[in-house]
């Protein structure tokens, strides 16, 4: 069959002028031409085709470059995809399950195989096998258990396919409806919830259309219910928090405006923020026999930070103990970089509220952030979020600025700038934090400059032109010598005519 993708197509989530892709058939044709016309060996023909397409700016991330197996006219994944589609068309669930397992094995080779499977109908076939499983009779408990077991087997096939970005555009409303139905029908079964949430998460990544279709099918409510019901199941919590983040991202470049903020509000209204804080408390030792799991702590903190999108939500986090839990997690898991990073995300978000900003620092937030940055100096993610948290804490609050300096925050900021000189976001946040520290506290300038801040900020101007304005403003507020150039001056037309006759117009308007 002919692939469904055109010969050249932009990948989902990318601007057309940035990236081009070709179909597998186009690539295979070029390889075969090298073999037939230029008598190349297969490996040499593939290497030449790769070089030629890449020289034209073609992204080959969706192309299978391995030689076909001996005696095969088709790539193996094509044959498996076709057999899966045929089994679904015939209503043979048992055969579809076996072919789905084989397809998962093929897709282990990487994204290029997942993309090729999508061009040969594997996405609707996988969704169709899920629909067949959901259509099974589930009268008594044994029948329900058997039905759930089949759903758990077929869901990962669709999830694996959706790990390739281009395949997400092949989903339609009916296919996404089957995923939502699995969540709703098997709300009491953690393994089904884990698999269905993983599938929903992959469908949402950099795809605003799929995101809104899932929201319309009440996936936010079902997600919150899953976290509430299965809060002690590590798999459900991990996939639930990841799906929550995917629903609250605005990452699809094809849409000027996404609904990330509205989705976050909906999740909070459904009780998502309260459930996340409750489960974080449980994971940190809120129940008998419960040992903290750092990876789950990090997921829950990340979810909390994603939901802190309004002042009232920040206040809720402080008043309900969520901020205290994040600070407690920092103390308890100081050696875990993922926990430190996500706790910094929470503190950064909460400190965005003017009133809560004081509470964060009063409860020891500045000291804990500095300690975490020191403990994970080489982790760029920790340093980025640590600098960003200090930016939020220091904004328009002189007392907080003094506390940050006393906690040796300046040393932590400058250490991050030295160690991660190539990380633009680290440099940007550090410059903003240094500027905040002195904008209302001029007495702090001398101490910051003595530690070498000026040299590091000037290096930012040289290495990162996109943040030059921020670096220049930091130098200005620190009292350093900086040239402030007026890039444009508007001159009224009648004055410009006068200038043409009498010479240039000065700042006061007189020639």
């Amino acid at each position: 069959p002919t692939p469904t993708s055109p010969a050249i197509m932009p990948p989902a989530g990318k601007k057309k002028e940035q990236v081009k892709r070709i179909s597998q058939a186009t690539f295979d044709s070029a390889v075969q031409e090298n073999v037939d016309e230029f008598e190349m060996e297969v490996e040499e023909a593939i290497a030449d085709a790769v070089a030629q397409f890449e020289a034209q700016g073609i992204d080959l991330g969706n192309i299978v470059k391995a030689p076909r197996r001996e005696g095969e006219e088709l790539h193996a994944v094509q044959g498996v995809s076709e057999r899966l589609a045929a089994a679904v068309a015939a209503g043979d669930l048992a055969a579809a399950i076996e072919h789905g397992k084989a397809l998962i094995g093929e897709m282990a080779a990487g994204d290029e195989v997942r993309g090729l499977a999508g061009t040969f109908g594997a996405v609707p076939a996988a969704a169709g096998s899920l629909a067949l499983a959901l259509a099974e009779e589930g009268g008594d408990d044994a029948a329900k258990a058997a039905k759930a077991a089949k759903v758990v087997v077929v869901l990962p096939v669709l999830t694996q396919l959706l790990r390739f970005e281009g395949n997400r555009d092949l989903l339609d409303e009916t296919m996404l409806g089957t995923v939502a139905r699995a969540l709703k029908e098997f709300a009491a079964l953690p393994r089904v919830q884990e698999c269905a949430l993983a599938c929903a998460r992959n469908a949402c990544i950099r795809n605003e259309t799929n995101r809104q279709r899932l929201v319309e099918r009440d996936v936010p409510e079902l997600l919150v219910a899953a976290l509430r019901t299965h809060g002690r199941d590590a798999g459900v919590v991990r996939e639930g928090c990841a799906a929550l983040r995917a629903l609250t991202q605005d990452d699809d470049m094809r849409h000027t405006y996404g609904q990330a903020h509205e989705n976050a509000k909906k999740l909070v209204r459904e009780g998502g923020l309260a459930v996340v804080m409750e489960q974080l408390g449980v994971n940190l030792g809120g129940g008998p026999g419960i040992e903290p799991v750092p990876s789950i702590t990090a997921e829950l903190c990340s979810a909390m930070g994603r939901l802190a999108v309004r002042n009232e939500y920040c206040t809720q986090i402080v008043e309900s103990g969520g901020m205290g839990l994040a600070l407690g997690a920092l103390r308890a898991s100081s050696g875990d970089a993922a926990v430190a990073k996500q706790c910094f995300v929470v503190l950064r978000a909460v400190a965005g509220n003017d009133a809560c900003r004081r509470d964060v620092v009063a409860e020891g937030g500045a000291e804990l952030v500095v300690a975490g940055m020191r403990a994970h100096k080489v982790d760029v993610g920790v340093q980025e979020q640590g600098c960003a948290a200090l930016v939020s804490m220091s904004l328009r609050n002189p007392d907080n600025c003094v506390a940050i300096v006393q906690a040796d925050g300046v040393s932590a900021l400058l250490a991050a700038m030295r160690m991660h000189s190539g990380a633009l976001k680290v440099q940007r946040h550090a410059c903003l934090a240094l500027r905040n520290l002195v904008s209302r506290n001029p007495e702090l300038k001398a101490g910051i400059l003595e530690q070498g801040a000026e040299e590091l900020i000037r290096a930012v101007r040289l290495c990162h032109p996109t943040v030059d304005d921020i670096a220049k403003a930091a130098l200005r507020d620190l009292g350093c010598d900086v040239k402030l150039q007026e890039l444009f001056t508007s001159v009224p037309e009648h004055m410009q005519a006068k200038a043409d006759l009498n010479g240039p117009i000065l700042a006061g308007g007189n020639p």
Side-chain angles (χ1 to χ4, degrees):
T2 301
T4 58
S5 57
I8 295 183
M9 56 184 178
K14 302 291 185 182
K15 294 183 179 180
K16 292 183 180 181
E17 66 270 22
Q18 290 181 322
V19 181
K20 293 182 292 183
R21 282 183 177 160
I22 59 171
S23 69
Q24 186 70 44
T26 301
F27 182 81
D28 290 345
S29 176
V31 172
Q32 192 62 45
E33 181 180 355
N34 284 342
V35 173
D36 294 341
E37 298 294 330
F38 302 104
E39 299 181 353
M40 295 182 182
E41 296 295 331
V42 174
E43 290 77 7
E44 183 186 3
I46 292 173
D48 181 78
V50 168
Q52 292 295 328
F53 283 121
E54 288 182 344
Q56 299 174 51
I58 304 295
D59 180 0
L60 298 178
N62 62 319
I63 298 299
V64 176
K65 306 171 191 70
R68 294 175 185 170
R69 296 167 187 169
E70 187 175 353
E72 287 187 340
E73 294 184 1
L74 304 175
H75 289 283
V77 70
Q78 180 178 345
V80 176
S81 300
E82 291 174 348
R83 289 190 290 274
L84 173 61
V88 171
D92 187 345
L93 179 58
I97 288 174
E98 292 306 312
H99 295 316
K101 292 178 179 177
L103 184 57
I104 286 180
E106 293 292 337
M107 289 190 292
D111 266 357
E112 64 271 15
V113 179
R114 298 185 187 101
L116 182 59
T119 65
F120 290 103
V123 172
S129 65
L130 175 59
L132 288 176
L134 290 172
E136 292 272 291
E137 291 295 330
D140 56 21
D141 290 343
K144 288 180 180 178
K147 180 179 179 179
K150 294 174 182 176
V151 171
V152 168
V153 172
V154 298
L155 264 170
V157 182
L158 184 56
T159 301
Q160 282 294 318
L161 285 162
L162 296 179
R163 288 180 62 185
F164 178 69
E165 189 170 349
N167 286 343
R168 297 167 201 150
D169 286 333
L170 303 177
L171 292 169
D172 60 22
E173 295 184 9
T174 301
M175 298 176 198
L176 289 167
T178 60
V179 178
R181 180 183 167 188
L183 277 170
K184 187 173 184 178
E185 186 172 337
F186 296 99
L189 300 180
R191 293 289 69 76
V192 177
Q193 295 295 293
E194 180 183 353
C195 292
L197 287 169
C199 190
R201 169 175 63 86
N202 279 277
C204 287
I205 297 172
R206 289 188 290 276
N207 197 300
E208 184 67 19
T209 300
N210 289 348
R211 193 176 290 131
Q212 291 316 306
R213 286 172 174 171
L214 288 171
V215 170
E216 290 168 1
R217 281 156 182 76
D218 299 328
V219 167
E221 296 94 317
L222 297 170
L223 186 159
V224 172
L227 289 174
R228 183 180 290 116
T229 304
H230 306 290
R232 296 192 178 185
D233 187 285
V236 174
V237 173
R238 184 178 294 107
E239 291 298 339
C241 291
L244 184 151
R245 291 199 305 274
L247 286 169
T248 54
Q249 291 283 2
D250 189 5
D251 55 4
D252 191 339
M253 293 171 64
R254 298 167 297 183
H255 291 256
T256 304
Y257 301 104
Q259 296 294 312
H261 187 82
E262 293 302 317
N263 294 346
K265 288 167 57 179
K266 185 175 182 66
L267 283 159
V268 174
R269 286 197 300 269
E270 295 297 330
L273 184 55
V275 168
V276 166
M277 289 189 288
E278 177 186 346
Q279 297 305 333
L280 180 58
V282 170
N283 184 62
L284 291 174
I290 303 296
E291 291 293 329
V293 180
S295 62
I296 300 303
T297 299
E299 291 287 355
L300 289 165
C301 286
S302 177
M304 194 194 311
R306 290 299 307 170
L307 294 178
V309 296
R310 295 175 65 86
N311 278 332
E312 57 264 37
Y313 301 162
C314 295
T315 302
Q316 181 182 346
I317 289 172
V318 172
E319 294 179 350
S320 300
M323 185 188 73
L325 289 171
L327 294 173
L330 264 177
R331 295 185 183 97
S333 303
S334 58
D336 191 287
V339 172
K341 176 183 175 181
Q342 299 306 334
C343 288
F344 293 170
V345 168
V346 174
L347 298 180
R348 173 189 182 181
V350 172
N353 177 301
D354 287 343
C356 297
R357 185 176 301 134
R358 294 189 294 271
D359 297 325
V360 172
V361 175
E363 295 296 323
E367 291 83 356
L368 286 171
V369 169
V370 171
M373 292 176 69
R374 285 176 173 167
H376 306 284
K377 292 181 179 179
V378 299
D379 191 304
V380 66
V382 171
Q383 298 301 310
E384 177 189 327
Q385 293 301 329
C387 291
L390 293 177
V391 173
S392 291
M393 293 181 198
S394 60
L395 182 64
R396 296 191 300 271
N397 193 306
D399 292 338
N400 281 6
C401 293
V402 172
I404 291 170
V405 171
Q406 291 176 345
D408 210 12
V410 174
S411 175
L413 290 166
L414 299 183
M417 294 178 75
R418 290 188 184 98
M419 181 160 288
H420 302 283
S421 59
L424 185 145
K425 290 184 179 180
V426 170
Q427 302 298 318
R428 179 181 188 276
H429 293 318
C431 287
L432 286 170
L434 292 170
R435 182 185 178 191
N436 286 350
L437 290 174
V438 300
S439 61
R440 285 173 169 77
N441 299 73
E443 72 279 4
L444 301 178
K445 293 180 183 180
I448 293 174
L449 291 173
E450 286 174 2
Q451 297 185 55
E454 180 177 357
E455 179 183 358
L456 291 169
I457 298 172
R458 292 195 184 280
V460 173
R461 296 192 63 192
L462 293 174
C463 299
H464 302 285
T466 57
V467 296
D468 182 64
D469 287 346
I470 293 172
K472 187 186 298 183
L475 289 170
R476 179 198 64 204
D477 289 353
L478 282 165
C480 301
D481 183 26
V482 58
K483 183 178 180 180
L484 300 174
Q485 181 180 3
E486 190 173 9
L487 299 180
F488 175 74
T489 302
S490 179
V491 179
E493 185 176 344
H494 71 281
M495 295 181 69
Q496 184 60 53
K498 186 177 181 180
D500 292 340
L501 294 174
N502 301 318
I505 296 176
L506 304 179
N510 297 315

